[in-house]
Amino acid sequence: QVQLVGSGGGLVQPGGSLTLSCVASGSILSINAMGWYRQAPGKQRELVATITSGGSTMYADSVKGRFTISRDNAKRTVYLQMSSLAPEDTAVYYCAAQIRRFGSMRSSDYWGQGTQVTVSS
């Protein structure tokens, strides 16, 4: 089995910073793209940032210049450094990854369980 476990969420004041982490574990042959999504109450899940296995990144316009995505391939971990946080960043943040399992001919999408980020004074 493959599992993604995210962590690092919490309560932070406006203007503050927070770093999320997500570790992949299990019977993994390779990991392609990894990313972060978020879902605010009453809204659809939206893409926040993605990073390829080679390190190319992409960001939603709403987080450009404030969030940084990175990954440690040896640790099978993806990070999301968030700064200048605002109340509108409040959401459940989900990590995702395209993972190819041992014995599989193709990659599949896997999701973490979600971690709550609340920005409030």
Side-chain angles (χ1 to χ4, degrees):
Q1 283 288 23
V2 171
Q3 193 174 20
L4 291 177
V5 179
S7 62
L11 174 64
V12 62
Q13 292 187 342
S17 300
L18 208 58
T19 297
L20 306 182
S21 301
C22 178
V23 182
S25 64
S27 182
I28 297 172
L29 177 61
S30 62
I31 303 176
N32 299 324
M34 304 183 83
W36 289 94
Y37 293 74
R38 67 185 181 185
Q39 187 167 19
K43 295 187 177 182
Q44 290 188 332
R45 189 174 299 188
E46 63 175 0
L47 173 68
V48 176
T50 62
I51 183 168
T52 67
S53 57
S56 297
T57 59
M58 185 191 74
Y59 297 92
D61 288 343
S62 59
V63 306
K64 281 181 181 177
R66 300 188 301 122
F67 291 12
T68 301
I69 189 170
S70 61
R71 63 190 283 173
D72 185 327
N73 291 328
K75 294 182 179 180
R76 296 174 174 175
T77 301
V78 61
Y79 305 96
L80 185 68
Q81 295 175 281
M82 305 182 291
S83 62
S84 301
L85 284 162
E88 50 265 37
D89 295 314
T90 295
V92 177
Y93 284 70
Y94 298 90
C95 60
Q98 294 174 339
I99 295 174
R100 183 177 173 186
R101 298 174 56 187
F102 281 107
S104 177
M105 296 298 291
R106 60 181 179 85
S107 298
S108 298
D109 294 335
Y110 292 86
W111 292 85
Q113 83 284 9
T115 184
Q116 177 70 46
V117 172
T118 302
V119 184
S120 175
S121 55

